[in-house]
Amino acid sequence: MPFKIALDDLTPNNLGVIEKINSVCLPVQFDHQWYKESLEENQGHLVKYAFFNELPVAAIKARVITKKGHASPSFVYIDSIAVLEAYRGYGIGKKLLDWLVEESKTRFIHKIQCHGWKESVDWYVKQGFTNEGEVKGYYEKQGLTGDDANAALLSLEF
Amino acid sequence: MSRRRTAGTLFQSKEDTNFKEALKLYESKQYKKALKLVDTNLKKKSHPQSLALKGLLLYHIHAANGKNEDPDNLEPKSYFQKALKEDASNPVINHIIAIFYRALPDYTEAAKYYKLALDNGSENRNIWKDLAVSEIQLRKYKNALAARLQVLNYFQGYRANWTGLAITHHLNKNYDQAEKVLTGFEELAEGKLSDPEFVEHSECLLYKNKIIFESGDVKKALKNLKEIEKTVFDHLSVNEYRATYQTALGDHKAASITYRKLLQRNPDKTDYYYLLEASLGIEQSNITKRLKLYNKLEKFYPKSDPPKVIPLMFLKADSKEFEDKLKNYLISKLQRGVPSVFKTLKFLYKNPAKVQVIEKLVLEFLDDLAQKSKLDVDPTITVWTLYLLSQHYMFLGDISKAEEYIDKAMTHSPTLVELILFKANIAKHKGQLVEAADIVNSARLLDLQDRFINCKATKYYLRADNLEKAIEIASLFTKNDDAVNGLKDLHLMQANWYLIEESEAYFRLFKKAKNALINHLNKIDSENIEFTPELSREVKDEIDEVQKLKGLTLKRFNSVVKNYKEFENDQLDFHGYCPRKGTPRAYISMLNWADGLFNQPLFMRAVKGMSEVYLSINDDIVNREASIIYKYSEIIASSASKKSKNKNKNKTNKRREQEASKIIAYDHDLDVFGEQFVNTDEPIEKLNELFSLTTDKTSVFYLKLSFLIYIIQGKFILAFQSLKNAKDILVDPSQAILPYYLMKLVESLKNNTDPKLEAIKSMVVKSISSVFKDFNADESFDVILTKFFKLSEADGLENHYFYLKSTKLAGKYDEAVATKILELINKGKIDRDLNLDELVILKDYVEANGSEDCYWI
Ligand SMILES: CC(C)(COP(=O)(O)OP(=O)(O)OC[C@H]1O[C@@H](n2cnc3c(N)ncnc32)[C@H](O)[C@@H]1OP(=O)(O)O)[C@@H](O)C(=O)NCCC(=O)NCCS
């Protein structure tokens, strides 16, 4: 079945949508301020929505990270990617990630990095990331229990 | 304004020159400059025309600073009186006064002075136009006709004046004359019309055609339609008129052909289908024939809804055709994810058997979806199906099922705003107003740009009596300029939806605060609590709060009334504009709209609310001595020392000023807190004034309120008449309120000691027993009530409600009935006939054990 999937921007008026999507999809909860910061310009925030038949169902939020003392950006870090459960498996997550890859490339950044549960890292691996292994205490720091996080890395080719 | 002099004068006095100059300045709105000139004139000797102009100028200068809102400001009028005293028959003075009254607006007076100006020899022929307009505004069509005849007489060269006269004839039901005037111009204009005039011409031709039809000569109208068809642009009207005429003449075959033509133009208009059926002479009961017709029509217009939906109405619920057609329709809609399916199918819900078929089909459809593998299904179809089921159960009053499905839907698609709004709706129906408001607000956060959701959230907060949050949200979409919030803009924009909701919220808060105050004072009184200065201050604050809320209630309700008066006033320009623009048909329908203006539900809500407050103010005045609030107000007033009074006053003034900035309604508002309304000594007069605006004198509300007013005024015959009329239109179970009112009438008759009224009173007593045969004032209320109204276990909420209300009104409170009501509400058995506001109030009222006053009168 052909479905209409489209991407759109974050605006001050639809900020509540990513908050909603993340709050029902992710184990970690972020406060309003954290989301608000992504509206700040020139701070390297990369946020995009995905719409399924006009309905916002997914969002990716990432940042361009420049290491201390470096002039050019070091990598892109994915803060969150989430697709509402009923809308998973339709290629929406992939579409958002593809967008991020393109954005990174236009900035001449060679790496995308993220952390995730073992299960979601499986998904990242399916998208070409390499599993960099467990990061001890990563979730503990965020007040979460359970398995440790895995780091995943995608190297971009030009 | 006339600058012509009645007699040609060679030598103009200095005063006259000044006056002329002042008039010019007036016309260019330079009121202050004009006033200076006029004042120079008046310094030395008397110049009556200048006196009159001064009145008019003062009015306009006051308008800029809000002073005209003050009913005690009689300054302009005093100048007119002086002017008239010196020269009553001066047409210029008459004219100036007329202009003042028109601006006020008081059209009766305006018409009077226009007429005087003319009678006194004014040669300003434009006054005839203004007179006509004022008379039409007053709906004095006969007087208007006289004026319009003069207008045409003087200004024959303008089509507007011909059209205007024809309209006025039409309004007087002089159909022949109206037609003649229109034809008169057509003949004059024959062959002389330029291109841009043809639209107006087309409209006037259709208007004339309509008049011919209304005169009763349908044949002539049909013939005329054929003649004008080529010239007229509005083919839709031509065909609609034609079909109506053909039907009226009994030429059904021809009518059916016309309706088919109309269907081709617009196959989505349901009416055409019914009218086509009627013209084909198909009997309503002949299902086979109807089905055949609609099957055909469906093939012709496959994209249109009506041919698919109408058969669902007449097909039998247990027939296979019904199920098939419903299935096709429903599933195709769901598959396209159309959110409004429920709305289009709502009309089937009167038939429980059909409702069952709907339920079965939708549940089956949902099952099928679940069976399919996930990626084969569009998830939005699933969510719209869940939504439909929730709406379905809600309509049936099964709240827990409705909640179950909306929760499922929201888990599935938490970003879908419609779902959240419906969830809030359910909470509202359960009387959880605060929760409901927060739910809508969570939808608002998903799309801050959406004005619709913004308004919804505002409204829900108002229902939850959270005025602060409501205005905060509403202000995101208003023009706030230098104001702290958008309240002034909402007034300026005449946002009645906001104003009425806020009025009602103030009203609830007022009642709550008043009850709390009374309870507090009763406690102090009965428990002999020492009335310390601290307690005194506390009580004073509570009293002030009650007064403030009462004032704001009336103030806001009144702003709605004000807006409606302005709507009425807005017609004025159109009396002249429409004939000029050549849109007489639209104009006539606007007049009809305006005639029903003061019966519109929103306006009636304002009247209802204000009338309750005014009646309670009247009660307070009558029962002052017995009122505990009054008692303590007196104690506080006498005990407070002058010094502390002043100190407190300063403090309250500061607080008030701060508060005022948040609730001010208008620029230059002289009465921000509505004290002018609260401090009235004549609440019944005020109420009567308001009440006289409504023109529908047959509603139950009208009768009840007029009854209460008549009782207060000691007009017993009229009071009885109201009850008698109410009896005729009230159907069970609302008749349960009658005994209470009858008892009230009997009581007032007994309490009235005026010997002059003896004969009238005994007549009313006799009439009561002859009209209300079941009523015997000597019997106990319970006995009377059971005669009027029998309540059974199985009765619904509404019946129980009326019963309870009736007992409560009579000073009793039936615990058993109250318990039953709560039980029904909690079970979610919601009566369709009881609207939601009433339900919520009912719940509050019952839960508070009847301590709160009944909302309804
Ligand atoms: C991870 C997630 C974003 C994937 O979104 P999605 O739209 O369902 O993914 P897609 O449909 O684009 O999947 C693309 C491919 O990955 C596969 N895939 C989907 N979920 C997978 C999983 N959990 N593990 C492995 N592969 C998976 C799909 O089958 C698809 O394969 P294909 O390309 O061969 O058809 C989504 O499942 C999600 O929101 N999970 C919860 C939140 C989360 O864990 N986020 C990541 C940490 S921030």
Side-chain angles (χ1 to χ4, degrees):
Chain A
M1 228 187 244
F3 303 117
K4 214 179 106 203
I5 295 165
L7 302 188
D8 204 356
D9 294 335
L10 181 82
T11 71
N13 290 322
N14 62 23
L15 192 65
V17 174
I18 181 170
E19 290 196 55
K20 183 90 220 171
I21 292 172
N22 279 1
S23 77
V24 298
C25 291
L26 301 178
V28 218
Q29 298 299 321
F30 304 97
D31 61 8
H32 183 62
Q33 196 50 37
W34 188 77
Y35 290 103
K36 241 178 128 175
E37 279 163 12
S38 28
L39 288 167
E40 282 167 27
E41 272 175 50
N42 306 325
Q43 298 294 312
H45 291 287
L46 296 165
V47 185
K48 206 79 178 168
Y49 281 120
F51 284 73
F52 187 100
N53 292 351
E54 324 270 310
L55 181 70
V57 296
I60 188 167
K61 176 176 178 329
R63 268 173 299 154
V64 177
I65 305 284
T66 310
K67 279 189 190 153
K68 261 204 188 105
H70 287 241
S72 51
S74 319
F75 60 94
V76 165
Y77 184 79
I78 301 179
D79 283 327
S80 71
I81 176 166
V83 180
L84 293 174
E85 197 176 327
Y87 298 84
R88 286 178 198 161
Y90 294 90
I92 298 172
K94 187 169 167 359
K95 205 155 184 169
L96 284 172
L97 191 62
D98 287 349
W99 169 81
L100 190 66
V101 168
E102 284 313 307
E103 283 294 313
S104 306
K105 283 184 178 170
T106 56
R107 289 171 170 75
F108 304 106
I109 301 171
H110 294 258
K111 274 190 289 189
I112 297 180
Q113 222 187 55
C114 64
H115 289 95
W117 303 101
K118 171 89 182 56
E119 302 86 69
S120 55
V121 169
D122 285 351
W123 180 78
Y124 284 120
V125 169
K126 181 120 206 256
Q127 310 308 321
F129 283 65
T130 49
N131 191 338
E132 306 277 291
E134 284 186 12
V135 185
K136 286 262 177 275
Y138 179 84
Y139 282 140
E140 225 173 278
K141 264 195 278 173
Q142 301 182 28
L144 294 170
T145 50
D147 295 343
D148 270 314
N150 282 271
L153 185 72
L154 182 67
S155 304
L156 305 180
E157 287 155 27
F158 286 80
Chain B
M1 175 151 326
S2 164
R3 262 177 265 130
R4 242 181 253 214
R5 297 273 308 172
T6 8
T9 35
L10 281 173
F11 305 102
Q12 278 199 347
S13 69
K14 182 151 189 323
E15 279 76 24
D16 286 348
T17 321
N18 278 346
F19 177 73
K20 271 188 162 183
E21 190 55 34
L23 274 184
K24 266 192 207 148
L25 288 167
Y26 162 82
E27 276 167 13
S28 58
K29 294 195 165 132
Q30 305 196 46
Y31 305 125
K32 286 202 173 140
K33 272 193 190 157
L35 187 64
K36 252 193 198 147
L37 275 178
V38 166
D39 275 336
T40 343
N41 266 4
L42 293 172
K43 232 179 239 163
K44 285 185 212 127
K45 46 183 179 180
S46 97
H47 190 258
Q49 298 187 354
S50 294
L51 277 170
L53 185 57
K54 180 163 181 175
L56 183 60
L57 290 169
L58 282 177
Y59 171 77
H60 282 288
I61 291 167
H62 290 167
N65 58 27
K67 224 167 159 188
N68 289 331
E69 301 295 318
D70 181 357
D72 297 330
N73 176 19
L74 299 172
E75 212 183 342
K77 284 187 193 164
S78 71
Y79 284 99
F80 300 144
Q81 273 158 13
K82 277 187 219 159
L84 285 173
K85 215 168 161 191
E86 290 185 27
D87 193 358
S89 59
N90 181 319
V92 176
I93 294 178
N94 299 149
H95 192 187
I96 290 175
I97 299 178
I99 290 171
F100 163 77
Y101 278 112
R102 177 168 148 168
L104 202 52
D106 178 343
Y107 298 108
T108 312
E109 289 296 301
K112 182 176 133 191
Y113 283 100
Y114 280 133
K115 191 121 200 326
L116 266 177
L118 292 164
D119 289 349
N120 285 326
S122 172
E123 285 176 16
N124 183 350
R125 289 164 176 176
N126 280 316
I127 296 181
W128 287 109
K129 286 187 193 168
D130 292 330
L131 176 62
V133 161
S134 297
E135 298 286 15
I136 291 189
Q137 183 78 3
L138 291 164
R139 301 297 190 263
K140 293 200 171 144
Y141 295 141
K142 239 189 164 150
N143 297 351
L145 185 59
R148 283 246 155 107
L149 277 167
Q150 292 290 354
V151 173
L152 183 59
N153 196 16
Y154 291 130
F155 308 95
Q156 297 214 357
Y158 301 92
R159 183 169 206 164
N161 297 332
W162 295 77
T163 313
L165 178 60
I167 289 171
T168 322
H169 273 308
H170 182 201
L171 293 172
N172 277 294
K173 301 200 164 50
N174 304 337
Y175 302 106
D176 292 351
Q177 293 296 323
E179 189 196 334
K180 236 184 231 157
V181 172
L182 289 167
T183 310
F185 185 83
E186 284 166 26
E187 284 166 359
L188 273 182
E190 178 95 60
K192 293 178 203 144
L193 289 172
S194 65
D195 264 358
E197 288 166 326
F198 270 107
V199 176
E200 178 180 4
H201 188 56
S202 156
E203 269 304 300
C204 287
L205 289 176
L206 274 173
Y207 178 54
K208 190 173 97 175
N209 184 266
K210 214 176 141 169
I211 291 174
I212 300 174
F213 173 65
E214 280 178 29
S215 78
D217 195 343
V218 188
K219 258 196 188 139
K220 187 172 166 194
L222 189 61
K223 196 169 145 258
N224 172 265
L225 204 56
K226 204 168 169 56
E227 289 159 15
I228 64 172
E229 193 172 10
K230 294 252 150 49
T231 327
V232 165
F233 297 120
D234 182 353
H235 299 295
L236 179 63
S237 290
V238 168
N239 278 318
E240 285 192 344
Y241 287 8
R242 173 169 292 142
T244 309
Y245 301 167
Q246 288 164 334
T247 309
L249 288 169
D251 189 353
H252 297 296
K253 187 147 194 322
S256 75
I257 295 168
T258 314
Y259 280 122
R260 285 193 199 268
K261 252 193 218 160
L262 282 164
L263 269 181
Q264 269 172 19
R265 282 183 68 106
N266 180 5
D268 292 322
K269 188 158 170 170
T270 311
D271 291 356
Y272 292 157
Y273 290 87
Y274 290 125
L275 291 164
L276 172 65
E277 266 194 73
S279 63
L280 289 171
I282 301 176
E283 275 186 42
Q284 292 286 298
S285 56
N286 192 341
I287 291 177
T288 331
K289 229 174 165 181
R290 295 181 81 183
L291 190 61
K292 229 169 122 186
L293 172 69
Y294 280 99
N295 281 340
K296 248 196 236 154
L297 289 168
E298 192 183 341
K299 282 206 191 91
F300 278 136
Y301 309 116
K303 280 190 190 144
S304 297
D305 257 15
K308 299 189 184 82
V309 173
I310 296 171
L312 299 176
M313 187 118 93
F314 62 76
L315 287 169
K316 293 251 171 348
D318 55 6
S319 66
K320 194 176 164 317
E321 286 105 339
F322 176 75
E323 188 165 333
D324 288 348
K325 277 214 179 279
L326 180 63
K327 193 168 177 174
N328 281 338
Y329 180 74
L330 206 57
I331 309 250
S332 81
K333 289 280 157 175
L334 285 173
Q335 264 166 352
R336 268 183 287 148
V338 177
S340 60
V341 209
F342 182 73
K343 251 195 212 136
T344 36
L345 289 182
K346 216 163 164 183
F347 72 98
L348 292 177
Y349 278 67
K350 278 184 229 118
N351 183 333
K354 290 189 179 176
V355 174
Q356 275 193 350
V357 182
I358 295 178
E359 185 172 311
K360 190 188 93 180
L361 287 178
V362 182
L363 285 172
E364 272 173 17
F365 180 69
L366 188 65
D367 256 358
D368 288 349
L369 287 178
Q371 300 299 322
K372 287 188 187 156
S373 91
K374 182 181 169 185
L375 295 190
D376 288 340
V377 180
D378 175 346
T380 53
I381 294 175
T382 310
V383 77
W384 289 122
T385 310
L386 293 168
Y387 177 58
L388 173 64
L389 279 167
S390 181
Q391 290 171 301
H392 163 86
Y393 286 117
M394 190 62 193
F395 197 83
L396 299 181
D398 189 342
I399 288 198
S400 63
K401 274 245 169 85
E403 279 188 309
E404 184 191 321
Y405 279 101
I406 201 67
D407 287 346
K408 269 188 199 164
M410 281 172 71
T411 312
H412 182 285
S413 298
T415 51
L416 188 53
V417 166
E418 278 90 341
L419 305 179
I420 310 177
L421 293 182
F422 195 65
K423 171 95 180 167
N425 192 309
I426 296 177
K428 190 170 85 171
H429 272 87
K430 286 166 70 185
Q432 300 169 343
L433 299 180
V434 177
E435 292 84 344
D438 288 336
I439 296 172
V440 178
N441 199 38
S442 75
R444 188 184 68 87
L445 294 176
L446 296 180
D447 191 353
L448 299 175
Q449 251 183 146
D450 189 318
R451 184 186 277 271
F452 172 76
I453 306 171
N454 182 278
C455 291
K456 274 260 174 216
T458 304
K459 198 163 152 178
Y460 269 72
Y461 276 117
L462 287 171
R463 287 284 167 94
D465 295 343
N466 192 342
L467 300 188
E468 223 163 287
K469 189 91 186 162
I471 190 65
E472 179 195 318
I473 292 174
S475 300
L476 296 171
F477 275 84
T478 54
K479 205 166 151 245
N480 304 333
D481 292 336
D482 52 347
V484 295
N485 59 34
L487 197 58
K488 268 202 298 200
D489 192 45
L490 288 164
H491 278 84
L492 191 70
M493 293 289 119
Q494 303 179 316
N496 280 333
W497 67 270
Y498 181 91
L499 297 177
I500 194 75
E501 293 289 345
E502 194 182 70
S503 314
E504 287 172 351
Y506 272 129
F507 191 21
R508 287 188 295 269
L509 291 170
F510 157 63
K511 281 190 287 189
K512 231 181 251 172
K514 187 176 172 187
N515 278 325
L517 173 63
I518 290 174
N519 288 340
H520 190 188
L521 294 179
N522 279 334
K523 192 169 169 220
I524 295 172
D525 222 40
S526 63
E527 294 174 17
N528 270 325
I529 297 174
E530 192 197 342
F531 205 60
T532 60
E534 288 81 47
L535 185 56
S536 167
R537 233 170 292 137
E538 191 184 315
V539 169
K540 181 161 188 317
D541 282 349
E542 285 172 28
I543 293 176
D544 288 349
E545 179 71 11
V546 170
Q547 283 299 98
K548 183 190 93 189
L549 289 169
K550 196 196 312 190
L552 287 170
T553 304
L554 286 173
K555 172 100 186 171
R556 286 292 177 276
F557 274 132
N558 190 63
S559 58
V560 174
V561 174
K562 220 171 131 168
N563 285 343
Y564 270 83
K565 284 187 183 164
E566 236 166 83
F567 295 161
E568 191 198 28
N569 203 27
D570 288 343
Q571 293 174 72
L572 194 78
D573 292 341
F574 292 98
H575 303 317
Y577 178 82
C578 290
R580 224 166 38 244
K581 275 280 149 186
T583 52
R585 290 188 305 157
Y587 172 69
I588 296 282
S589 70
M590 183 212 67
L591 288 183
N592 289 335
W593 165 83
D595 283 341
L597 198 54
F598 292 111
N599 298 324
Q600 284 186 9
L602 202 139
F603 176 76
M604 288 313 285
R605 274 165 75 184
V607 176
K608 263 185 200 189
M610 284 184 97
S611 60
E612 272 193 73
V613 185
Y614 277 137
L615 285 172
S616 88
I617 292 178
N618 184 61
D619 269 359
D620 290 344
I621 293 174
V622 175
N623 304 321
R624 182 162 285 164
E625 298 311 317
S627 146
I628 191 156
I629 300 181
Y630 181 70
K631 177 178 157 186
Y632 277 88
S633 306
E634 289 293 289
I635 295 177
I636 293 168
S638 64
S639 69
S641 71
K642 225 178 182 167
K643 212 168 130 197
S644 76
K645 246 190 210 163
N646 277 340
K647 206 171 114 198
N648 279 337
K649 219 176 189 168
N650 281 339
K651 232 166 93 188
T652 16
N653 278 350
K654 240 196 193 143
R655 201 170 6 139
R656 284 213 134 197
E657 245 168 60
Q658 254 181 12
E659 234 185 318
S661 69
K662 287 190 209 153
I663 55 167
I664 188 166
Y666 308 101
D667 283 335
H668 312 292
D669 195 340
L670 300 178
D671 184 22
V672 176
F673 291 89
E675 285 163 320
Q676 173 198 318
F677 297 98
V678 178
N679 297 333
T680 177
D681 296 327
E682 302 176 319
I684 298 303
E685 282 72 9
K686 286 255 151 66
L687 177 51
N688 247 335
E689 219 173 274
L690 173 70
F691 199 41
S692 61
L693 289 171
T694 61
T695 45
D696 174 12
K697 314 246 184 259
T698 56
S699 72
V700 177
F701 168 72
Y702 183 89
L703 294 169
K704 277 194 272 189
L705 189 54
S706 59
F707 169 82
L708 290 172
I709 295 175
Y710 290 141
I711 288 264
I712 291 168
Q713 296 174 327
K715 294 179 179 165
F716 297 118
I717 297 179
L718 291 173
F720 170 74
Q721 201 61 43
S722 298
L723 280 193
K724 188 169 167 278
N725 293 342
K727 177 181 177 264
D728 294 339
I729 51 172
L730 281 172
V731 277
D732 247 8
S734 37
Q735 284 223 351
I737 56 169
L738 284 175
Y740 164 70
Y741 287 109
L742 284 166
M743 303 255 301
K744 204 170 165 87
L745 178 57
V746 170
E747 211 178 280
S748 328
L749 289 170
K750 269 192 206 143
N751 291 343
N752 186 292
T753 50
D754 189 345
K756 281 191 298 252
L757 292 179
E758 280 314 315
I760 286 176
K761 284 191 283 182
S762 64
M763 193 182 104
V764 171
V765 170
K766 263 193 219 130
S767 313
I768 291 177
S769 47
S770 76
V771 172
F772 297 92
K773 295 217 163 52
D774 287 338
F775 181 78
N776 175 356
D778 297 330
E779 283 175 335
S780 78
F781 183 76
D782 307 25
V783 176
I784 297 169
L785 185 61
T786 45
K787 275 192 195 164
F788 270 80
F789 181 68
K790 290 171 196 66
L791 189 70
S792 83
E793 239 327 85
D795 278 334
L797 204 52
E798 196 192 17
N799 296 32
H800 281 79
Y801 175 38
F802 276 111
Y803 192 90
L804 187 73
K805 199 165 81 171
S806 193
T807 51
K808 171 69 176 34
L809 284 168
K812 299 181 182 201
Y813 187 76
D814 197 323
E815 279 293 342
V817 177
T819 317
K820 178 81 188 173
I821 288 180
L822 272 189
E823 191 189 307
L824 287 170
I825 295 179
N826 289 338
K827 257 207 225 143
K829 276 306 305 163
I830 287 160
D831 263 87
R832 290 291 132 209
D833 298 329
L834 214 58
N835 79 36
L836 190 63
D837 297 323
E838 286 153 12
L839 188 79
V840 170
I841 291 151
L842 173 62
K843 188 165 182 250
D844 280 357
Y845 158 62
V846 173
E847 275 173 351
N849 258 325
S851 67
E852 215 190 311
D853 281 339
C854 244
Y855 187 75
W856 280 5
I857 307 165

